Amino acid sequence: MIGRLWLRGLVAALVAVPFTAPVFAVDVGKDARHEAGRKIYNFRCYFCHGYSGDAKTLAATYLTPKPRDFTKDDEKSIGREQMIGAVRDGKAGTAMKGFKGIIPERDIDLVVDFVRAEFIRAKAANTRYHTPENGWPNHERHKVAFPFATGVIPLDRPWEQLSPVEQKGKRLFLTTCISCHDHARTEDPGPVWGGRPLSYPRNHFDPGDFSAPPPTKADAIASASPYALHDVVPQVSGLTSTEKRGEALFQGNCAFCHGATGTGRNWIGSFMEPHPRDLTDPKFMRDMTHGRLAHTIREGLPNTSMPAWKSVLKDEEIDAIVSYVSRVFHPVKP
């Protein structure tokens, strides 16, 4: 149920927020153009279409019709201009939304050319998520949980029908992997949406609904939710241009886990284990330095949900985020 509720918010965040999008497009040679297209795809498209273009994703299990599996296409089955139109304008009756006005036309060209070369022609396996570069060293040590993450064993198979090793894998999946993989595969998944409200959202506040104004502090308190208060962006006057840039980058990228308040006490952060760092905690932040925090953002933290951002954010963007954190949440040492 957790994954089902935050799915809409994450898809909306990836599609609908223009200021969170890094600009990857550059006028360079063929190989660099391909890699620029890869970065755009890995930031915008993988969640539904999969890192390798085969649409084997959690999101795809909830979508009708399913996202397109590019590995089943050839260059005749779908033309380049047809794909550019779909990315630019979306496809009616599907979850494919248009990116016109969100990313520049040149980025649309780059990502379409990447998909055609990488998945349609080469049928290549693209970036893997669980890599040392993304903060997942020696991921094979968790292999007992892999059958549940990949759907080889349904998650709702009775415990008594599992071997001791499989039971160990299921426990690991339920305590760690489920926050992203959700139900994986189940023989009886139950209703996709339930009518019974959980503790959040309340008072008609729906995270990821960017058509509505963000909650105010009064709204958050009145909602009787312990989480909504941490989705209210702090109002700090006198920010420098660098700090304002850091604010846009933090609120567009980091707040999904750390909360708008930097505490990690928002809805998503409360379910993560270990919890995202509370960037306002004096005990933790007392000895924090600019360089250490920038390194953590750049390289990620092994064995946590903190990914490496070095392939997404430029060094000056990371420095801007650190400056914003130092000004708004807790000072960091030079």
Side-chain angles (χ1 to χ4, degrees):
M1 179 62 76
I2 292 170
R4 295 168 186 169
L5 288 174
W6 65 257
L7 175 60
R8 282 188 305 163
L10 183 53
V11 172
L14 292 173
V15 173
V17 188
F19 65 77
T20 65
V23 176
F24 297 117
V26 287
D27 295 323
V28 291
K30 182 178 179 181
D31 290 343
R33 284 179 58 83
H34 185 78
E35 293 309 311
R38 186 191 306 277
K39 289 181 178 181
I40 299 165
Y41 182 91
N42 287 352
F43 184 77
R44 290 290 187 185
C45 315
Y46 85 94
F47 191 73
C48 293
H49 290 285
Y51 270 124
S52 294
D54 54 9
K56 293 180 179 178
T57 66
L58 171 61
T61 66
Y62 297 122
L63 298 175
T64 303
K66 302 294 184 187
R68 193 174 191 108
D69 179 353
F70 297 114
T71 65
K72 294 182 179 178
D73 281 307
D74 57 45
E75 292 189 86
K76 294 181 180 179
S77 64
I78 182 170
R80 183 176 184 272
E81 291 304 316
Q82 180 184 351
M83 293 178 66
I84 289 175
V87 177
R88 181 192 299 119
D89 303 317
K91 291 188 69 176
T94 76
M96 180 63 191
K97 304 301 181 183
F99 285 82
K100 182 178 180 180
I102 296 175
I103 63 176
E105 287 287 328
R106 60 180 181 173
D107 283 12
I108 294 176
D109 290 344
L110 284 172
V111 74
V112 166
D113 288 341
F114 166 77
V115 170
R116 293 184 69 79
E118 189 88 355
F119 307 139
I120 295 179
R121 286 200 294 270
K123 313 295 182 187
N126 181 25
T127 311
R128 302 292 184 183
Y129 179 74
H130 293 294
T131 63
E133 294 76 14
N134 284 334
W136 295 86
N138 191 23
H139 188 55
E140 285 295 316
R141 69 187 186 279
H142 303 308
K143 64 182 180 181
V144 292
F146 291 179
F148 297 95
T150 60
V152 173
I153 302 176
L155 189 58
D156 55 352
R157 180 170 292 176
W159 288 94
E160 60 272 14
Q161 295 180 18
L162 301 174
S163 70
V165 172
E166 291 169 344
Q167 290 181 10
K168 182 179 179 181
K170 182 172 179 178
R171 291 190 187 96
L172 177 60
F173 182 91
L174 290 172
T175 56
T176 304
C177 317
I178 198 169
S179 60
C180 292
H181 289 275
D182 195 57
H183 66 86
R185 180 175 76 87
T186 50
E187 294 177 343
D188 181 16
V192 175
W193 299 104
R196 181 178 63 85
L198 300 180
S199 61
Y200 185 79
R202 294 193 182 185
N203 276 16
H204 309 293
F205 172 64
D206 189 352
D209 180 6
F210 296 100
S211 63
T216 65
K217 187 173 183 179
D219 291 335
I221 295 172
S223 72
S225 166
Y227 308 115
L229 184 62
H230 298 284
D231 283 313
V232 180
V233 179
Q235 299 300 307
V236 179
S237 60
L239 295 179
T240 66
S241 59
T242 297
E243 291 164 351
K244 288 180 180 177
R245 188 183 188 194
E247 179 183 49
L249 290 165
F250 182 94
Q251 297 300 337
N253 294 283
C254 317
F256 186 78
C257 296
H258 289 278
T261 59
T263 61
R265 297 173 190 165
N266 56 320
W267 187 60
I268 295 298
S270 67
F271 291 108
M272 290 183 168
E273 197 61 44
H275 293 310
R277 283 292 190 187
D278 180 353
L279 301 172
T280 69
D281 180 10
K283 182 178 180 181
F284 172 70
M285 296 293 289
R286 178 178 55 203
D287 298 321
M288 180 60 66
T289 66
H290 186 108
R292 177 185 166 193
L293 186 54
H295 181 271
T296 299
I297 297 172
R298 186 180 301 111
E299 302 296 335
L301 282 175
N303 303 317
T304 76
S305 296
M306 179 64 189
W309 288 86
K310 59 186 176 184
S311 297
V312 177
L313 298 173
K314 300 174 183 177
D315 285 345
E316 58 265 33
E317 292 175 323
I318 292 174
D319 287 337
I321 292 173
V322 175
S323 297
Y324 173 72
V325 169
S326 182
R327 174 68 183 278
V328 176
F329 300 139
H330 192 284
V332 300
K333 297 179 180 178

